[in-house]
Amino acid sequence: NAGVTQTPKFQVLKTGQSMTLQCAQDMNHEYMSWYRQDPGMGLRLIHYSVGAGITDQGEVPNGYNVSRSTTEDFPLRLLSAAPSQTSVYFCASSYGWSLKHNEQFFGPGTRLTVL
Amino acid sequence: DAKTTQPNSMESNEEEPVHLPCNHSTISGTDYIHWYRQLPSQGPEYVIHGLTSNVNNRMASLAIAEDRKSSTLILHRATLRDAAVYYCILRDTSGGGADGLTFGKGTHLIIQP
Protein backbone atom coordinates (compact mmCIF):
# COMPACT_ATOMS: atom_id res chain seq x y z
CA ASN A 1 0.00 0.00 0.00
CA ALA A 2 1.14 3.53 -0.78
CA GLY A 3 -0.78 4.78 2.27
CA VAL A 4 -1.72 8.47 2.15
CA THR A 5 -0.22 10.40 -0.74
CA GLN A 6 -0.25 14.16 -1.27
CA THR A 7 0.62 16.28 -4.28
CA PRO A 8 2.33 18.59 -4.83
CA LYS A 9 5.11 18.48 -2.22
CA PHE A 10 5.83 22.19 -2.62
CA GLN A 11 3.85 25.06 -4.12
CA VAL A 12 4.30 28.81 -4.42
CA LEU A 13 1.25 30.93 -5.20
CA LYS A 14 0.59 34.60 -5.65
CA THR A 15 -2.10 36.30 -3.62
CA GLY A 16 -5.49 35.74 -5.20
CA GLN A 17 -4.58 32.60 -7.12
CA SER A 18 -6.53 29.40 -6.60
CA MET A 19 -5.28 25.85 -6.49
CA THR A 20 -6.16 22.33 -5.39
CA LEU A 21 -4.09 20.21 -3.04
CA GLN A 22 -4.54 16.55 -3.83
CA CYS A 23 -4.86 13.76 -1.28
CA ALA A 24 -5.42 10.07 -1.94
CA GLN A 25 -5.40 6.92 0.17
CA ASP A 26 -5.47 3.27 -0.90
CA MET A 27 -6.48 1.74 2.43
CA ASN A 28 -10.26 1.96 1.88
CA HIS A 29 -10.55 4.33 4.86
CA GLU A 30 -13.89 5.96 5.57
CA TYR A 31 -12.50 9.00 7.35
CA MET A 32 -10.28 11.64 5.77
CA SER A 33 -9.25 15.05 6.98
CA TRP A 34 -7.08 18.07 6.28
CA TYR A 35 -4.89 19.88 8.79
CA ARG A 36 -2.59 22.87 8.55
CA GLN A 37 0.54 23.38 10.59
CA ASP A 38 2.07 26.80 11.04
CA PRO A 39 5.72 27.20 12.19
CA GLY A 40 6.28 26.02 15.75
CA MET A 41 2.64 25.10 16.19
CA GLY A 42 0.56 21.99 16.42
CA LEU A 43 -1.86 20.91 13.71
CA ARG A 44 -5.26 22.53 13.25
CA LEU A 45 -8.19 20.81 11.54
CA ILE A 46 -9.53 22.46 8.37
CA HIS A 47 -12.17 20.06 7.02
CA TYR A 48 -13.01 16.42 7.40
CA SER A 49 -15.14 13.72 5.77
CA VAL A 50 -16.70 10.62 7.30
CA GLY A 51 -17.40 9.03 3.93
CA ALA A 52 -17.98 9.70 0.23
CA GLY A 53 -20.39 12.59 -0.26
CA ILE A 54 -20.13 13.80 3.35
CA THR A 55 -17.91 16.65 4.50
CA ASP A 56 -17.85 18.98 7.48
CA GLN A 57 -15.90 21.95 8.79
CA GLY A 58 -13.11 21.79 11.31
CA GLU A 59 -11.50 24.50 13.41
CA VAL A 60 -10.19 26.73 10.59
CA PRO A 61 -12.31 26.21 7.44
CA ASN A 62 -12.43 29.76 6.06
CA GLY A 63 -10.86 30.13 2.63
CA TYR A 64 -10.93 26.39 1.88
CA ASN A 65 -13.37 24.06 0.13
CA VAL A 66 -13.47 20.29 0.03
CA SER A 67 -15.47 17.56 -1.67
CA ARG A 68 -15.44 13.78 -1.38
CA SER A 69 -16.74 12.11 -4.53
CA THR A 70 -14.86 8.84 -3.96
CA THR A 71 -13.60 6.96 -0.93
CA GLU A 72 -10.01 7.33 -2.12
CA ASP A 73 -9.70 11.06 -2.83
CA PHE A 74 -10.19 14.18 -0.72
CA PRO A 75 -8.94 17.33 -2.50
CA LEU A 76 -8.56 20.66 -0.70
CA ARG A 77 -9.25 23.81 -2.73
CA LEU A 78 -7.89 27.23 -1.92
CA LEU A 79 -10.35 29.66 -3.46
CA SER A 80 -8.30 32.87 -3.41
CA ALA A 81 -4.91 32.39 -1.76
CA ALA A 82 -3.79 34.80 0.96
CA PRO A 83 -0.38 35.11 2.69
CA SER A 84 -2.05 33.89 5.91
CA GLN A 85 -2.53 30.54 4.19
CA THR A 86 1.22 29.98 3.99
CA SER A 87 1.59 26.74 5.90
CA VAL A 88 2.26 23.03 5.69
CA TYR A 89 -0.86 21.05 4.86
CA PHE A 90 -1.35 17.47 5.98
CA CYS A 91 -3.99 15.03 4.84
CA ALA A 92 -4.93 12.14 7.11
CA SER A 93 -7.17 9.09 6.94
CA SER A 94 -8.58 6.57 9.37
CA TYR A 95 -10.38 3.25 9.01
CA GLY A 96 -13.34 4.27 11.14
CA TRP A 97 -15.01 7.66 11.37
CA SER A 98 -14.87 7.60 15.14
CA LEU A 99 -11.42 8.66 16.25
CA LYS A 100 -11.97 7.36 19.77
CA HIS A 101 -9.65 4.45 19.21
CA ASN A 102 -8.73 4.51 15.54
CA GLU A 103 -5.28 5.68 14.57
CA GLN A 104 -4.92 8.29 11.88
CA PHE A 105 -2.47 7.87 9.01
CA PHE A 106 -0.91 11.09 7.79
CA GLY A 107 0.49 12.02 4.41
CA PRO A 108 3.94 13.63 3.93
CA GLY A 109 2.53 17.13 3.63
CA THR A 110 2.39 19.96 1.10
CA ARG A 111 4.44 23.08 1.83
CA LEU A 112 2.55 26.09 0.50
CA THR A 113 3.91 29.61 0.27
CA VAL A 114 1.64 32.50 -0.73
CA LEU A 115 3.41 35.66 -1.80
CA ASP B 1 -11.33 17.89 24.22
CA ALA B 2 -9.64 18.33 27.59
CA LYS B 3 -6.27 20.08 27.75
CA THR B 4 -2.88 18.42 28.10
CA THR B 5 0.40 19.83 29.42
CA GLN B 6 3.77 18.59 28.20
CA PRO B 7 7.33 19.87 28.67
CA ASN B 8 8.55 21.90 25.71
CA SER B 9 11.66 19.77 25.26
CA MET B 10 13.57 16.85 26.70
CA GLU B 11 16.98 15.42 26.05
CA SER B 12 18.13 11.81 26.33
CA ASN B 13 21.00 9.60 25.31
CA GLU B 14 20.90 7.00 22.63
CA GLU B 15 20.14 3.43 23.78
CA GLU B 16 18.68 4.65 27.08
CA PRO B 17 15.01 4.62 28.12
CA VAL B 18 13.00 7.82 27.72
CA HIS B 19 10.00 8.79 29.82
CA LEU B 20 7.84 11.51 28.27
CA PRO B 21 5.29 12.94 30.73
CA CYS B 22 1.85 14.35 30.03
CA ASN B 23 -0.49 16.00 32.53
CA HIS B 24 -4.22 15.99 31.89
CA SER B 25 -5.82 16.92 35.20
CA THR B 26 -9.22 17.71 33.62
CA ILE B 27 -9.53 14.37 31.83
CA SER B 28 -13.02 12.90 31.77
CA GLY B 29 -13.92 9.26 32.21
CA THR B 30 -14.57 8.86 28.49
CA ASP B 31 -11.32 10.39 27.20
CA TYR B 32 -8.81 8.15 25.47
CA ILE B 33 -5.14 9.16 25.72
CA HIS B 34 -3.42 9.17 22.33
CA TRP B 35 0.25 9.73 21.49
CA TYR B 36 1.54 10.76 18.10
CA ARG B 37 5.01 11.81 17.05
CA GLN B 38 6.26 13.95 14.19
CA LEU B 39 9.72 13.41 12.77
CA PRO B 40 11.39 16.40 11.09
CA SER B 41 9.72 17.37 7.81
CA GLN B 42 7.20 14.51 8.02
CA GLY B 43 3.57 14.06 8.88
CA PRO B 44 2.55 12.90 12.36
CA GLU B 45 2.75 9.19 13.09
CA TYR B 46 0.56 7.24 15.52
CA VAL B 47 2.45 5.80 18.49
CA ILE B 48 -0.01 4.37 21.01
CA HIS B 49 -3.27 4.99 22.84
CA GLY B 50 -5.05 3.80 25.96
CA LEU B 51 -7.97 4.43 28.29
CA THR B 52 -7.19 3.13 31.79
CA SER B 53 -4.76 0.25 31.70
CA ASN B 54 -1.12 0.41 30.71
CA VAL B 55 -0.54 -0.45 27.07
CA ASN B 56 2.41 -1.87 25.16
CA ASN B 57 3.15 -2.12 21.46
CA ARG B 58 6.20 -2.54 19.29
CA MET B 59 7.00 1.16 19.40
CA ALA B 60 6.45 2.14 23.02
CA SER B 61 4.62 1.67 26.30
CA LEU B 62 1.98 3.92 27.80
CA ALA B 63 1.76 4.12 31.57
CA ILE B 64 -1.45 5.72 32.87
CA ALA B 65 -1.73 6.97 36.44
CA GLU B 66 -4.39 5.37 38.58
CA ASP B 67 -6.35 8.63 38.79
CA ARG B 68 -5.76 9.17 35.02
CA LYS B 69 -4.64 12.74 35.59
CA SER B 70 -1.26 12.00 34.04
CA SER B 71 0.39 9.53 31.72
CA THR B 72 3.90 8.68 30.55
CA LEU B 73 5.06 7.52 27.17
CA ILE B 74 8.02 5.18 27.53
CA LEU B 75 10.52 4.52 24.77
CA HIS B 76 12.46 1.56 26.07
CA ARG B 77 15.69 2.11 24.14
CA ALA B 78 15.90 5.38 22.29
CA THR B 79 17.60 5.61 18.93
CA LEU B 80 18.51 8.66 16.90
CA ARG B 81 15.45 7.94 14.77
CA ASP B 82 13.24 8.64 17.80
CA ALA B 83 14.18 12.33 17.76
CA ALA B 84 10.83 13.99 17.08
CA VAL B 85 8.04 16.10 18.53
CA TYR B 86 5.76 13.94 20.67
CA TYR B 87 2.12 14.92 21.09
CA CYS B 88 -0.12 13.77 23.91
CA ILE B 89 -3.77 14.12 22.87
CA LEU B 90 -7.01 13.40 24.68
CA ARG B 91 -9.83 12.10 22.57
CA ASP B 92 -13.35 12.45 23.87
CA THR B 93 -15.35 9.32 23.23
CA SER B 94 -18.73 10.87 23.86
CA GLY B 95 -20.71 11.93 20.84
CA GLY B 96 -19.36 11.11 17.41
CA GLY B 97 -15.70 11.90 17.83
CA ALA B 98 -15.30 12.55 14.12
CA ASP B 99 -13.99 16.08 14.32
CA GLY B 100 -10.28 15.41 14.33
CA LEU B 101 -7.51 15.48 16.89
CA THR B 102 -6.41 18.56 18.83
CA PHE B 103 -2.62 18.89 18.59
CA GLY B 104 -0.81 21.13 21.07
CA LYS B 105 2.86 22.07 20.75
CA GLY B 106 4.11 18.73 22.08
CA THR B 107 7.52 17.79 23.51
CA HIS B 108 10.59 18.12 21.33
CA LEU B 109 12.70 15.05 22.12
CA ILE B 110 16.41 15.38 21.44
CA ILE B 111 18.53 12.22 21.35
CA GLN B 112 22.26 12.55 21.93
CA PRO B 113 24.53 9.93 20.35
Side-chain angles (χ1 to χ4, degrees), chain A residues 31 35 37 40-43 45 48 50 90 97-104 106-108 111, chain B residues 32 34 36 38 41-44 46 49 87 91-93 96-101 103-105:
Chain A
Y31 182 93
Y35 292 85
Q37 184 173 34
M41 305 291 290
L43 281 71
L45 184 69
Y48 63 95
V50 298
F90 291 102
W97 61 265
S98 170
L99 296 181
K100 295 183 286 192
H101 42 72
N102 284 313
E103 65 177 282
Q104 284 201 92
F106 286 81
R111 295 181 181 275
Chain B
Y32 274 81
H34 288 246
Y36 281 74
Q38 187 172 19
S41 301
Q42 294 190 27
Y46 168 83
H49 76 274
Y87 298 97
R91 190 66 194 128
D92 185 5
T93 62
D99 55 348
L101 297 172
F103 286 79
K105 293 189 179 180

Side-chain angles (χ1 to χ4, degrees), chain A residues 64-115:
Chain A
Y64 307 96
N65 270 358
V66 291
S67 59
R68 184 98 178 267
S69 56
T70 67
T71 299
E72 293 78 20
D73 300 297
F74 191 44
L76 178 72
R77 296 184 191 84
L78 277 70
L79 309 173
S80 176
S84 60
Q85 292 178 305
T86 293
S87 189
V88 181
Y89 291 83
F90 291 102
C91 180
S93 73
S94 177
Y95 177 71
W97 61 265
S98 170
L99 296 181
K100 295 183 286 192
H101 42 72
N102 284 313
E103 65 177 282
Q104 284 201 92
F105 294 83
F106 286 81
T110 293
R111 295 181 181 275
L112 176 68
T113 301
V114 182
L115 302 175

Side-chain angles (χ1 to χ4, degrees), chain A residues 2-32:
Chain A
V4 179
T5 58
Q6 292 183 237
T7 56
K9 284 188 168 51
F10 301 93
Q11 183 70 49
V12 178
L13 291 178
K14 294 181 180 177
T15 297
Q17 287 185 313
S18 63
M19 79 158 294
T20 299
L21 278 62
Q22 302 292 344
C23 174
Q25 53 89 11
D26 61 357
M27 298 173 281
N28 200 32
H29 284 172
E30 290 181 16
Y31 182 93
M32 296 185 74

Side-chain angles (χ1 to χ4, degrees), chain B residues 8-54:
Chain B
N8 289 334
S9 65
M10 289 183 63
E11 212 167 296
S12 185
N13 294 321
E14 198 176 10
E15 299 186 5
E16 290 185 356
V18 179
H19 291 236
L20 294 160
C22 181
N23 287 324
H24 28 78
S25 58
T26 60
I27 191 171
S28 75
T30 55
D31 284 337
Y32 274 81
I33 302 161
H34 288 246
W35 283 83
Y36 281 74
R37 72 180 185 181
Q38 187 172 19
L39 278 64
S41 301
Q42 294 190 27
E45 174 186 34
Y46 168 83
V47 178
I48 200 166
H49 76 274
L51 182 61
T52 55
S53 304
N54 294 345

